[in-house]
Amino acid sequence: MAFKPSKSKRNLGKEEGTLNMNSMMDMMTIILLFLLKSFSTEGALVTPSQQLRLPVSTAAEKAKKQVSVSIAKDALLVNDEPLISTNEIPKDQMLIPALAMKLSDYAKQERDLEVEVGKVFNHEIIIEGDEKIPFELLFKVMFTCSKSDFYKMRLLTIKKG
Amino acid sequence: MAFKPSLRSNNEEVDMELDIRPVMNLMVVLIPLLIASAEWVKLSIIEINVPPAKTAGVGSGESDQQQVKEKQLHLGLKIAIAHEGITIGNAVALLAGDNAEGPTVGLTADGKYDFAKLREKLIELKKKVLGKGFVDENRAVITASADIPYQTIIDVMDNLQTYKDAEGNVKPLFPEINFSKIMD
């Protein structure tokens, strides 16, 4: 014998319900506020890699986009273009000739810009060094920078905390 | 005669809910956008202003300047980082550490540099130097052994920036940093 359809369950499926989105809205608002706080229009200055881990510092000065020299574990880069490998850096002299030439080119470009469009050449250069590079290498790069007319050096670091 | 309340105005209370779907749509668009442009790693810079490299061919005005410079008091503070510890000194004298021999600030028990003690010594030194009329009272020259890692140098520089005086004001310690190299 077939069962008789239950009278009390007849209207069960037709009931209209609404999704309660209040808590979701709260969550979204908090996420939105957090993201607005960490909003930056400057974009990434560096792309992290195994070969280039920036040292950690408490310095508070904000970084700006400039000509940059990166000293990775195995290579030297100028504006993210590989220049020479660290093995090719001369051991017995302070100046790194390849870097000096490249930087002189940039200095010349900047000077031309200063003459043509009035963009002031501020002699600033960003040095992105791996946390493990020896002082000697850092010093050679800094020496070369100052010889090539970029004497205001900014050491890029990751802010602590 | 008072009017009888109108039967027609007896409206039912309307149960209305705010339509938040447009706001949700906006959120769904905004959140990925902001995630993409958020700065996850905060970068900062340490400024080092080296005097411009001297060009060959010294002008005649140079010697006068040189004479003026000689009359000014120079501190010439140097901080040398070696593997055994950090030595503070200048051309005339070295700051003595706990032991008569060896670096001013030695290593801690677990073989790390003792930055807390370095700070202590430097603040002590700064208080002595302050107001004596040294032209380079904010300047320090860092030098290090050839194979000292970059992170150590940054750590030393962090400790050279500021200190708090007795009233709790933040004062510059030796923020103008230069580098030099020991010639071997």
Side-chain angles (χ1 to χ4, degrees), chain A residues 114-126:
Chain A
E114 190 170 16
V115 173
E116 282 161 17
V117 295
K119 180 180 172 281
V120 181
F121 180 32
N122 53 13
H123 301 278
E124 283 180 14
I125 190 159
I126 291 180

Side-chain angles (χ1 to χ4, degrees), chain A residues 34-41, chain B residues 33-34 37-39:
Chain A
F34 164 74
L35 288 173
L36 274 174
K37 211 183 149 285
S38 62
F39 180 72
S40 109
T41 47
Chain B
L33 180 93
L34 287 172
S37 62
E39 53 174 2

Side-chain angles (χ1 to χ4, degrees), chain A residues 18-19 21-22 24-25 28-29 31-32 34-41 44-46 54-64 94 126-139 142 146-147 149 151-161, chain B residues 17-21 23-24 26-28 30-55 81 142-155 157-159 161 178-184:
Chain A
T18 48
L19 194 64
M21 289 199 281
N22 288 355
M24 195 155 155
M25 282 291 293
M28 290 278 195
T29 313
I31 295 176
L32 198 69
F34 164 74
L35 288 173
L36 274 174
K37 211 183 149 285
S38 62
F39 180 72
S40 109
T41 47
L45 269 166
V46 277
L54 295 176
V56 180
S57 152
T58 52
E61 199 105 10
K62 278 277 233 171
K64 280 177 286 177
M94 292 298 298
I126 291 180
I127 298 179
E128 301 163 5
D130 185 271
E131 59 181 6
K132 294 240 165 63
I133 57 161
F135 177 72
E136 195 180 19
L137 180 55
L138 176 75
F139 193 76
M142 290 175 98
S146 74
K147 279 281 176 215
D149 239 0
Y151 50 82
K152 289 180 185 166
M153 287 162 234
R154 276 90 183 88
L155 304 181
L156 196 69
T157 58
I158 291 172
K159 199 174 172 187
K160 207 181 269 179
Chain B
E17 232 178 274
L18 199 63
D19 190 8
I20 47 172
R21 275 174 304 177
V23 187
M24 286 293 297
L26 187 74
M27 293 267 192
V28 169
L30 270 181
I31 286 175
L33 180 93
L34 287 172
I35 286 179
S37 62
E39 53 174 2
W40 297 107
V41 179
K42 282 227 163 38
L43 293 175
S44 59
I45 50 170
I46 300 174
E47 286 193 18
I48 293 166
N49 292 331
V50 180
K54 282 214 179 76
T55 42
I81 311 164
I142 293 181
T143 179
S145 300
D147 49 350
I148 297 288
Y150 188 29
Q151 178 70 62
T152 310
I153 294 153
I154 296 282
D155 286 339
M157 275 194 266
D158 274 352
N159 284 299
Q161 297 296 326
N178 280 170
F179 285 93
S180 76
K181 187 174 183 278
I182 308 163
M183 290 296 169
D184 38 42

Side-chain angles (χ1 to χ4, degrees), chain A residues 66 78 82:
Chain A
Q66 298 284 355
V78 177

